């Protein structure tokens, strides 16, 4: 909540501030620079980003939303997540579309990261994450009254504001099932590429 006092009146609005990550955006890097990072120090991080993208289904994984910092890749824009990737095309066939540049590189994935990912307890991770999200939602909701939030929501149809989390019914259950299914599939295979 950002407040300004001006001429005896108080104006306020919601803001989201995050720490800057310095580096070059992917679209400013050459293919050789990206490949060098993927095959070198950044391979573990690249693999974690890729696995996270499979689970969080980004809707805006364009090259400008990824930064290379000290040969490590970072995603700097995660506001469009849990986007439904299955799309019906005109031939009545279904095709899966993930909206992230990460799948466009033919790089081997880190086997140690895959092994670590397969050993994770999906239920415990998602339970802790959902409790953390609820705590944050309560904190955000305390910043604005119901009337203030309604005003911000209706003020600009192209830039809506809500303090509450917007998940479709069953989204966390689906995420859990996807997590354990991905673990099972990864346990079966070796030498995987993006």
């Amino acid at each position: 909540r950002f407040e300004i006092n001006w001429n005896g009146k108080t104006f306020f609005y919601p803001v989201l501030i995050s720490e800057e990550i310095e580096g070059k955006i992917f679209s400013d890097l050459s293919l050789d620079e990206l490949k060098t990072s993927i095959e070198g120090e950044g391979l573990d991080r690249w693999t974690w980003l890729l696995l996270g993208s499979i689970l969080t289904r980004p809707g805006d994984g364009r090259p400008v939303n990824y930064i290379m910092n000290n040969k490590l890749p970072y995603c700097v824009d995660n506001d469009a997540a849990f986007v439904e990737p299955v799309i019906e095309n005109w031939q009545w066939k279904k095709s899966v579309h993930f909206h992230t540049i990460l799948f466009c590189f033919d790089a081997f994935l880190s086997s140690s990261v895959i092994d670590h990912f397969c050993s994770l307890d999906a239920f415990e991770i998602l339970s802790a994450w959902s409790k953390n999200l609820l705590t944050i939602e309560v904190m955000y909701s305390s910043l604005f009254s119901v009337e203030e939030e309604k005003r911000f929501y209706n003020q600009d149809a192209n830039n809506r504001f809500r303090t509450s989390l917007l998940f479709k019914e069953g989204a966390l259950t689906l995420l859990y099932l996807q997590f354990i299914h991905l673990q099972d599939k990864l346990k079966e295979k070796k030498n995987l590429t993006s």
Side-chain angles (χ1 to χ4, degrees), residues 23-71:
K24 280 185 165 181
I25 58 174
F26 277 22
S27 55
D28 288 345
L29 295 169
S30 71
L31 194 54
D32 286 337
E33 287 176 298
L34 283 168
K35 282 185 177 181
T36 300
S37 176
I38 295 168
E39 295 165 359
E41 300 171 31
L43 180 61
D44 285 357
R45 181 139 180 90
W46 188 271
T47 303
W48 281 115
L49 277 173
L50 198 64
L51 293 171
S53 292
I54 292 170
L55 294 174
T56 61
R57 303 183 316 269
D60 189 16
R62 300 175 299 143
V64 296
N65 291 332
Y66 291 91
I67 286 182
M68 193 67 69
N69 175 286
N70 294 326
K71 297 187 177 185

Side-chain angles (χ1 to χ4, degrees), residues 11-22:
F11 300 92
F12 59 91
Y13 50 94
V15 294
L16 179 61
I17 300 171
S18 58
E19 186 176 341
E20 178 183 11
I21 298 175
E22 297 200 15

